[in-house]
Amino acid sequence: MKAAIITIGDEILLGQILDTNSRYLARGLAQIGAETVKMLSVADERTEILRAVEEGFSNTDIVLVTGGLGPTKDDLTKKVLAEYFGTTLEFNPQAYVWLEEMFAGRPERMNEYNKSQAVLPKSCTPLRNLKGTASGMWFEKGGKVLVSLPGVPFETEYLFPAEVLPRLKAKFKDGLLRYRMVTVFNIPEADLAMKLAAYEATLPAGIGLAYLPSAGFIRLRVTAKGEAVEKLDTFFEALLKALSGLTFTIADNASAEDAFARRLRKSGVTVACAESCTGGNIAHLITAVPGSSAYFLGGVVSYANEVKKRVLGVSAEDLQKFGAVSEPVAVQMAQGVRKITGADFAVSTTGIAGPDGGTDEKPVGTVWIGVAGPKGAYAQKFLFARTRERNIGKASIKALQLLLEEIEKK
C-alpha cells in the first residue's frame, strides 16, 4: 500500500510557512502500513494541482491533499478536484448543517463566503471538521482513494485521526509494512554505523535499517515489508543486542520527547529545570508531550545573571569569580530551581550557544549542565558544536539524559 502527499499553497513555496502537514500525515499513514513514496508541494494554480494529482495517483493507492479549501477566490482545490473526478460543484445540505452548528455558538454571523464552504464536489463524501469551516472530502476512483484536507495544521490533525484513518483502515485492511524504532544517545552517526555493520550484514530482503540523526541522539528505524513483516520482531531484538553498552530507549513513535516522557512518567518523581543557554528548550521538550503536568512542575529561564541571583539564589561572588558558564553556577541553578518549585529532581544549563561570545578558555559550544536531587548536586562540562541551533539541541537532550540517569539511581 503506497501513498502520496500533496500540499497546496503559494505560502509554502515562498517559504513563509513550514509544511508540517506532510510530516504528520506520513507518520499517520505508517501506523496502518502505508508507505509514503512521494511528497509534492504545488502552487495554488489549476494546472499545477491537476498535474500533482495525476502524478500522485499514477503509482499509489492513497493520495492525501492539504490546502486550498478556504472560502476565498484563490482557493481552487474544490474546483480542480471536481474537474479531475468528472463531477460538478453542488450545495451539500449536510455540510451546511455542520456550518450552522459551528456558527451557532459564535458572536459573528455566517456570510456568503462562509456559506460557500457548503458547496462541494458532488461525488465526494464530506468529512466533518469540528475545528474549522472547511469540510474534508473523500474521493474514490479505480479502487484508489484521494482525501482532501484543510491546510491549517490543527484542522488536519483533527480530521486525519477522527475521519480519515478509520476509513483507510476499513478499506485497505493491512498494507504489510511495519517498523520499530529505537533512540540512541551519545554516539556519532559514523561510530554507530561501524558498531552496527555486522548486524546490518545479516538483514534479509524486506528488512531495512535507517539512521535518523538529530542533535544529541540518533533514531534507528527497522522497517519490514511484505512477507518479512513476520521477521520484524526477531531482527529488532537482534538490533537491541547489537546496541549493548550504549544508552538507548525504545520509542516506536519515533519521538525522543515521547521516549523521555515514558521514562519520566514511569519514575514517579517530579522534575524542574533552570535554563540559560537553552532558553526554555528543555521545558518545551518536556511539555510538548501531553500529560507532562504529572511530573513537570516548572522551569526558570535565567538568561541574565541578575535573574540567576535573585530568582535562583546563585552566589554573586561565584558569578564574579567563575563566570556564569561554570560548574558552581550550574550546580546552584539546579539547586535553586529544585528549591523554589519543590521538585524531586532538577536540571540546569549554562553555556555559550554562539555564534558570538566564545573565548579561548570557553569557546562557543561550552556548556555546563547541573543536576540536583535528594542525594545532592553536581555539574558536568561539555563542548558541543559551533552552531547555535545544534548547541541548544544537543545541550537540551544531554540535560534530559543526565536528569534521567540521576533519577534512575534513586
Side-chain angles (χ1 to χ4, degrees):
M1 188 163 61
K2 298 183 183 297
I5 298 172
I6 301 169
T7 53
I8 299 171
D10 294 336
E11 63 276 13
I12 294 173
L13 298 174
L14 289 170
Q16 295 172 337
I17 66 169
L18 289 174
D19 171 23
T20 59
N21 284 333
S22 292
R23 178 176 181 268
Y24 174 80
L25 293 172
R27 290 177 65 177
L29 287 166
Q31 294 176 11
I32 59 169
E35 180 183 9
T36 300
V37 296
K38 189 174 298 183
M39 290 183 181
L40 303 170
S41 291
V42 298
D44 286 297
E45 297 177 6
R46 171 186 168 276
T47 55
E48 294 301 323
I49 298 172
L50 279 175
R51 185 181 295 116
V53 172
E54 287 279 7
E55 184 179 342
F57 255 140
S58 64
N59 60 356
T60 65
D61 309 289
I62 303 165
V63 177
L64 300 182
V65 180
T66 68
L69 297 184
T72 55
K73 293 181 179 179
D74 62 331
D75 291 302
L76 305 176
T77 302
K78 288 190 294 186
K79 295 178 182 178
V80 175
L81 291 179
E83 178 182 348
Y84 178 80
F85 287 102
T87 188
T88 57
L89 288 172
E90 295 187 0
F91 176 78
N92 188 291
Q94 180 62 77
Y96 187 72
V97 169
W98 293 339
L99 281 171
E100 287 185 315
E101 291 175 354
M102 177 159 286
F103 275 89
R106 294 183 176 184
E108 69 269 25
R109 294 183 178 181
M110 188 173 8
N111 61 34
E112 293 304 311
Y113 279 98
N114 299 133
K115 291 178 182 178
S116 71
Q117 296 286 67
V119 176
L120 303 174
K122 184 179 180 180
S123 64
C124 82
T125 299
L127 306 178
R128 187 174 190 180
N129 179 8
L130 293 178
K131 301 295 183 179
T133 57
S135 296
M137 299 179 291
W138 174 283
F139 298 87
E140 294 193 22
K141 180 179 180 181
K144 300 184 177 185
V145 168
L146 182 144
V147 184
S148 176
L149 299 167
V152 181
F154 73 82
E155 294 183 35
T156 284
E157 290 171 16
Y158 165 76
L159 269 167
F160 184 74
E163 298 289 339
V164 181
L165 207 54
R167 287 176 168 84
L168 290 176
K169 286 180 179 178
K171 181 171 180 62
F172 292 103
K173 298 294 189 298
D174 193 338
L176 291 183
L177 181 150
R178 292 288 183 269
Y179 69 89
R180 300 290 305 275
M181 301 285 299
V182 59
T183 302
V184 186
F185 303 92
N186 293 333
I187 184 170
E189 184 179 8
D191 291 349
L192 182 58
M194 287 285 290
K195 184 176 179 65
L196 298 179
Y199 165 77
E200 291 193 70
T202 68
L203 298 180
I207 303 281
L209 178 67
Y211 294 74
L212 310 172
S214 295
F217 61 91
I218 299 169
R219 287 172 290 190
L220 296 173
R221 184 185 65 233
V222 184
T223 304
K225 302 178 183 180
E227 295 179 358
V229 164
E230 297 179 358
K231 304 175 184 177
L232 176 59
D233 288 343
T234 298
F235 281 95
F236 186 71
E237 291 301 320
L239 172 63
L240 299 185
K241 290 181 181 178
L243 294 172
S244 176
L246 300 179
T247 301
F248 62 86
T249 301
I250 298 171
D252 287 349
N253 49 28
S255 165
E257 296 94 309
D258 285 324
F260 283 122
R262 289 182 186 181
R263 293 167 68 182
L264 284 170
R265 190 178 296 112
K266 185 179 179 181
S267 72
V269 301
T270 55
V271 300
C273 61
E275 303 181 61
S276 184
C277 61
T278 50
N281 193 53
I282 296 172
H284 166 70
L285 291 175
I286 295 174
T287 57
V289 180
S292 55
S293 59
Y295 46 83
F296 183 65
L297 299 188
V300 174
V301 180
S302 54
Y303 223 60
N305 285 350
E306 194 61 32
V307 177
K308 292 180 177 71
K309 290 186 290 185
R310 285 192 294 105
V311 178
L312 297 175
V314 175
S315 162
E317 182 179 344
D318 285 344
L319 280 166
Q320 178 67 31
K321 183 177 180 180
F322 302 106
V325 182
S326 63
E327 180 179 11
V329 170
V331 168
Q332 291 170 52
M333 287 174 64
Q335 290 172 322
V337 77
R338 179 173 181 257
K339 180 179 179 180
I340 63 176
T341 61
D344 298 313
F345 293 84
V347 68
S348 68
T349 57
T350 179
I352 304 168
D356 302 316
T359 64
D360 290 340
E361 183 183 357
K362 299 177 182 179
V364 169
T366 302
V367 178
W368 279 93
I369 298 176
V371 180
K375 296 180 180 180
Y378 73 93
Q380 281 187 237
K381 180 182 178 181
F382 298 90
L383 182 60
F384 292 121
R386 297 181 180 179
T387 60
R388 185 176 185 84
E389 294 77 12
R390 287 186 63 79
N391 283 327
I392 292 172
K394 283 177 172 288
S396 299
I397 293 298
K398 174 56 72 173
L400 285 172
Q401 183 190 340
L402 292 181
L403 176 64
L404 284 167
E405 287 176 358
E406 188 65 21
I407 290 170
E408 290 168 359
K409 291 178 185 177
K410 70 179 180 67

